[in-house]
Amino acid sequence: MAKSYETEHPIKSFGWAARDTSGVLSPFNFSRRLTGEKDVQFKVLYCGICHSDLHQLKNEWGNSKYPIVPGHEVVGVVTEVGGKVEKFKVGDKVGVGCMVGSCRECENCTADLENYCPRQIPTYNGYNSDGTLTFGGYSDIMVSDEHFVVHWPENLSMDAAPLLCAGITTYSPLKYFGLDKPGMHIGVVGLGGLGHMAVKFAKAFGTKVTVISTSANKKQEAIEHLGADSFLISRDPEQMQAATSTLDGIIDTVSAVHPILPLLSLLKSHGKLVMVGAPEKPVELPVFPLLMGRKLVAGSGIGGMKETQEMLDFAAKHNITPDVEVVPMDYVNTALERLLKSDVKYRFVLDIGNTLNKN
């Protein structure tokens, strides 16, 4: 079986893959399709490690297709373009995020919301239109339709790759739900890969930001390093009580099951609680607090291609980058173990360009 992945397409490729639910990654030879007329081929230089990579590698969402080459925060340099490519040329810095395809025809696609297309093709752990598995950015090269490739701004460090998932996942709901107006008061629940980006974007929009966390030891980091205005310990009833009805909106980035009720009490009337973390089990939604103030609980997932480019340009303009720890490829399994323990501030990024070696 392994041989077919090497020979199913003409272009030899190399990366690291997990073969089973152990989630352990090891070197993997496979192949990529030829650069089609609308395709961009690029050499991968950096790839972020996302928390969802952990879920997928261990089949915690029940939809994993092995072998898995993870990685959907991918930044590199164009090496080849198809004859009908209009937006890119060889040598351009580019990025690919969580998707490499969609139907391009449905209501979502025509509204620049490819991220909500029912036929979206994920960057890894999905199927290409020819039925072959998609393999992600823990690899030497990528080939993607130009529509799903973004320009990487010149003044943005290329190891800021997590903008392509953690960045857009927090930028999009702040914009869509109108939580980007100067003077608003926004809460951010959880201070990890997503949370720290939510704080940075919310501050750049000119809002007042309160970080809400179970860990008192994150207060100094939130306020002194990330520039949050205040900090709430969600397990402290007195602190939570004092902050009742003070927030216009909350971005909830926590991917573990946690109580929603205390968060709803922090919202003003017409306040919005937007979930961007993905707990494996259902969370309990108390309805009465929603009625008392016409409050909204919503969800949001990444962003369309147009908005992703807008987010990158905004990040470049305002010098917003994720806090990353850049690690070599052969450290990847250790990085995943540390990620599981939240032992990183706040995102690991693989230095693919310098450390992905076949030998």
Side-chain angles (χ1 to χ4, degrees):
M1 190 65 179
K3 182 141 181 55
S4 69
Y5 293 112
E6 275 194 74
T7 57
E8 65 184 359
H9 298 299
I11 298 177
K12 288 198 176 342
S13 191
F14 175 72
W16 282 50
R19 277 42 168 222
D20 54 46
T21 55
S22 70
V24 175
L25 293 156
S26 57
F28 177 60
N29 288 296
F30 64 106
S31 52
R32 299 278 192 196
R33 69 173 183 263
L34 285 173
T35 308
E37 57 184 22
K38 295 289 284 179
D39 283 339
V40 172
Q41 183 189 128
F42 66 95
K43 175 180 165 60
V44 178
L45 296 181
Y46 293 98
C47 185
I49 298 180
C50 178
H51 207 279
S52 59
D53 295 347
L54 266 179
H55 293 298
Q56 300 271 29
L57 287 168
K58 295 175 182 290
N59 195 27
E60 287 172 355
W61 291 339
N63 66 347
S64 297
K65 304 162 189 65
Y66 297 98
I68 295 175
V69 177
H72 61 207
E73 301 174 336
V74 198
V75 182
V77 174
V78 176
T79 51
E80 186 178 30
V81 295
K84 292 190 176 173
V85 167
E86 295 167 6
K87 295 192 295 184
F88 302 96
K89 62 184 188 307
V90 172
D92 282 356
K93 294 178 184 176
V94 292
V96 163
C98 302
M99 56 185 165
V100 290
S102 69
C103 81
R104 311 283 294 276
E105 296 166 354
C106 69
E107 202 173 329
N108 286 317
C109 284
T110 52
D112 295 312
L113 294 169
E114 303 92 342
N115 48 316
Y116 299 125
C117 173
R119 288 160 57 197
Q120 180 201 130
I121 300 174
T123 302
Y124 73 88
N125 196 41
Y127 291 105
N128 289 301
S129 51
D130 64 2
T132 58
L133 279 175
T134 59
F135 293 124
Y138 293 20
S139 61
D140 54 356
I141 57 170
M142 295 278 290
V143 180
S144 172
D145 184 295
E146 73 165 331
H147 184 78
F148 297 91
V149 180
V150 286
H151 281 283
W152 193 261
E154 272 305 317
N155 65 323
L156 208 51
S157 171
M158 292 181 83
D159 61 14
L163 285 170
L164 293 165
C165 175
I168 187 61
T169 297
T170 49
Y171 177 92
S172 184
L174 286 166
K175 291 284 286 187
Y176 178 79
F177 290 102
L179 304 177
D180 58 346
K181 310 289 184 286
M184 278 187 157
H185 192 171
I186 307 301
V188 174
V189 188
L191 200 57
L194 290 170
H196 90 290
M197 290 309 308
V199 173
K200 291 187 181 197
F201 279 124
K203 286 302 293 180
F205 287 136
T207 71
K208 183 180 175 189
V209 178
T210 294
V211 170
I212 303 154
S213 174
T214 54
S215 314
N217 61 1
K218 288 191 175 178
K219 180 174 182 177
Q220 185 178 1
E221 177 80 9
I223 291 174
E224 292 180 16
H225 175 62
L226 293 171
D229 300 278
S230 50
F231 187 88
L232 277 179
I233 298 168
S234 55
R235 291 180 177 149
D236 184 327
E238 281 182 25
Q239 281 190 25
M240 295 293 278
Q241 179 69 37
T244 298
S245 303
T246 57
L247 301 179
D248 296 288
I250 296 174
I251 303 292
D252 185 341
T253 72
V254 176
S255 57
V257 174
H258 58 289
I260 298 298
L261 182 61
L263 302 177
L264 293 176
S265 70
L266 300 175
L267 291 171
K268 299 175 184 174
S269 293
H270 309 120
K272 298 160 185 172
L273 169 62
V274 188
M275 316 289 286
V276 295
E280 287 161 49
K281 299 194 179 94
V283 293
E284 202 169 282
L285 182 64
V287 172
F288 200 68
L290 297 180
L291 308 180
M292 308 309 292
R294 197 154 58 184
K295 295 172 185 177
L296 188 70
V297 177
S300 183
I302 57 169
M305 297 315 302
K306 186 178 175 185
E307 188 175 47
T308 302
Q309 186 68 62
E310 177 192 300
M311 175 276 304
L312 281 177
D313 295 341
F314 181 89
K317 182 179 175 184
H318 295 272
N319 200 25
I320 297 169
T321 54
D323 291 16
V324 300
E325 182 177 332
V326 179
V327 297
M329 191 67 229
D330 60 9
Y331 187 78
V332 65
N333 289 308
T334 307
L336 288 163
E337 284 168 23
R338 284 179 53 196
L339 180 59
L340 196 57
K341 296 183 273 195
S342 300
D343 177 24
V344 59
K345 284 187 179 163
Y346 284 95
R347 249 325 201 241
F348 285 113
V349 173
L350 295 165
D351 181 354
I352 303 281
N354 291 313
T355 67
L356 179 66
N357 302 313
K358 287 194 181 188
N359 35 0

